[in-house]
Each structure stands twice: as C-alpha cells, then as structure tokens.
Amino acid sequence: DTAVSQTPKYLVTQMGNDKSIKCEQNLGHDTMYWYKQDSKKFLKIMFSYNNKELIINETVPNRFSPKSPDKAHLNLHINSLELGDSAVYFCASSHSTLGYQPQHFGDGTRLSIL
Amino acid sequence: SQQGEEDPQALSIQEGENATMNCSYKTSINNLQWYRQNSGRGLVHLILIRSNEREKHSGRLRVTLDTSKKSSSLLITASRAADTASYFCATDDMDSNYQLIWGAGTKLIIKP
C-alpha cells in the first residue's frame, strides 16, 4: 500500500492554464506538506497543514492555493501557470509538526510548462 | 531558505568502498535528519540524530554530529549499486517554527 500518493505523476500544460495536484496519505498523520524541487534539486517548503489548518505559508505566489478537506488530503491548485513553475512538486506527511518526526514523501508530480 | 550545504555535490566510487558525505548548517538545531532520494522518486528518511548525540548507527549507515562545528557526516560502508541516489540532510531550525531546512544534496554514484 502506498503511504503518500499524489496524482498526477506527470503534468504537461500550457502557460496560463490552471491545474491541480492531489495528495493523500494513509498513515494517519496529522501534518502534511507541499515542497517544490527545482532542476538543481533544491527542496523548498511551500505550505504545511496540521489537522487541516495552515501553519506554514512560505513566500509563494498567491497563484498557488493549497486546500485540505481533511487531514488525510492536501491538494494544490495553481492558477495562471508560468514557465518558472516547471519543477517537481512533492507532497509529504509526518505524525506532527515536531522537527524530530520523519517526513514521508510521495513520488512527486513533474510539472512542465510549455 | 536553504540552510544545509552538502559536500561534496557529487561523489562517484566503486562498489564495496565507503562513501562519506558532509552537511553543514548555520543555526542552532534540535535534530538533524538524513534522507535518500532515488532517481524519479520521493525522499526516504534514513536516520535522525539529536543535538545531544554525537554518533548514531543504523545498519551500514553511520552518522556523526558536531554541534560546535555545525556539521554532520553520513558514512555508508561497503557501498552497493543500490545506494546510488541523492542524499539530503535536513535540520529543524529552532527559529523557524520547527520546519525542516534542507540542504542541496549529494549525488552518489556507485560504480559496479
């Protein structure tokens, strides 16, 4: 059973379009995250939710809007896609927000903007 | 923000040799974690070391932490082809709401 699953795995779309990425975890974790990994492999936190509440909101364009319908799901909607949005987006989860909790990652969504 | 810096950026060794990767960080931390990322996959947690620990072992992995130098090392002994991956360190920054701060990673290639 996949612990953290995100869909789609690949997303190729035109500039200006709106797209969503979905994430689900079956680990019973309270905390979920969205990360962006660029072509140089830098991993940058975008958002973090704890029990459906937003707790980390890094400097991310407001074209990016996360939504957590329940603590097992965290989706990411992106409006007006730009070339610079091309990256791999990872969803992750952990038991809690405490820094010693390991994070469990999905396999990523590879977003390519044409 | 990027805090950890892994060194070297890339490492290529023969199967069976030991691989050592280093991570430096800038702020005071509670814990440091190491993760592995295989090509095309998500990150996988390997080991955590707390700020009051100096060394920790898990199978073929050995992690050290020197808080005075703000650095950590990950040693993989008797490397295997399956160890080929990128390795990242992550620290929980006391001043940043305990979010993890990630390094840029070391790309490790094990040659058969």
Side-chain angles (χ1 to χ4, degrees), chain A residues 37 43 45 99 103 107 110, chain B residues 2 33 35 37 40-41 99:
Chain A
Q37 187 175 47
L43 198 63
I45 182 74
Q103 294 188 10
D107 279 338
R110 282 137 196 86
Chain B
Q2 295 294 331
Q33 302 183 41
Y35 286 76
Q37 184 180 28
R41 304 297 298 274
Q99 67 174 283

Side-chain angles (χ1 to χ4, degrees), chain B:
Chain B
S1 60
Q2 295 294 331
Q3 152 151 270
E5 292 182 8
E6 279 90 341
D7 165 46
Q9 288 187 328
L11 179 62
S12 180
I13 61 173
Q14 290 294 138
E15 194 167 21
E17 292 179 342
N18 295 341
T20 299
M21 290 159 274
N22 303 298
C23 166
S24 59
Y25 56 92
K26 296 173 186 168
T27 64
S28 295
I29 64 169
N30 290 312
N31 307 281
L32 186 144
Q33 302 183 41
W34 283 93
Y35 286 76
R36 182 188 74 233
Q37 184 180 28
N38 291 92
S39 180
R41 304 297 298 274
L43 282 77
V44 175
H45 178 259
L46 294 176
I47 193 166
L48 175 143
I49 187 164
R50 299 182 190 276
S51 60
N52 62 355
E53 296 176 309
R54 291 295 165 258
E55 188 170 312
K56 202 160 182 182
H57 296 254
S58 176
R60 294 184 297 112
L61 305 180
R62 174 178 167 249
V63 170
T64 62
L65 180 64
D66 187 336
T67 52
S68 66
K69 294 181 179 177
K70 290 188 166 58
S71 69
S72 173
S73 67
L74 171 67
L75 168 68
I76 303 174
T77 59
S79 63
R80 304 168 182 169
D83 294 328
T84 294
S86 291
Y87 291 82
F88 294 85
C89 67
T91 55
D92 62 321
D93 183 348
M94 286 182 181
D95 297 328
S96 291
N97 205 23
Y98 295 100
Q99 67 174 283
L100 290 185
I101 309 296
W102 296 84
T106 292
K107 186 173 175 63
L108 175 65
I109 296 172
I110 308 298
K111 296 179 286 187

Side-chain angles (χ1 to χ4, degrees), chain A residues 46-114:
Chain A
M46 300 174 69
F47 303 102
S48 175
Y49 272 73
N50 188 58
N51 270 319
K52 302 193 299 175
E53 285 194 31
L54 181 66
I55 55 167
I56 293 174
N57 184 359
E58 287 296 290
T59 307
V60 175
N62 57 16
R63 299 181 294 104
F64 290 79
S65 52
K67 196 161 285 187
S68 183
D70 56 63
K71 73 174 192 178
H73 296 85
L74 180 62
N75 303 322
L76 183 66
H77 188 76
I78 316 170
N79 288 327
S80 304
L81 281 157
E82 300 177 357
L83 290 175
D85 298 332
S86 294
V88 183
Y89 293 84
F90 285 99
C91 176
S93 72
S94 61
H95 273 292
S96 73
T97 58
L98 294 174
Y100 61 81
Q101 298 285 357
Q103 294 188 10
H104 298 252
F105 284 75
D107 279 338
T109 294
R110 282 137 196 86
L111 175 62
S112 297
I113 310 301
L114 303 176

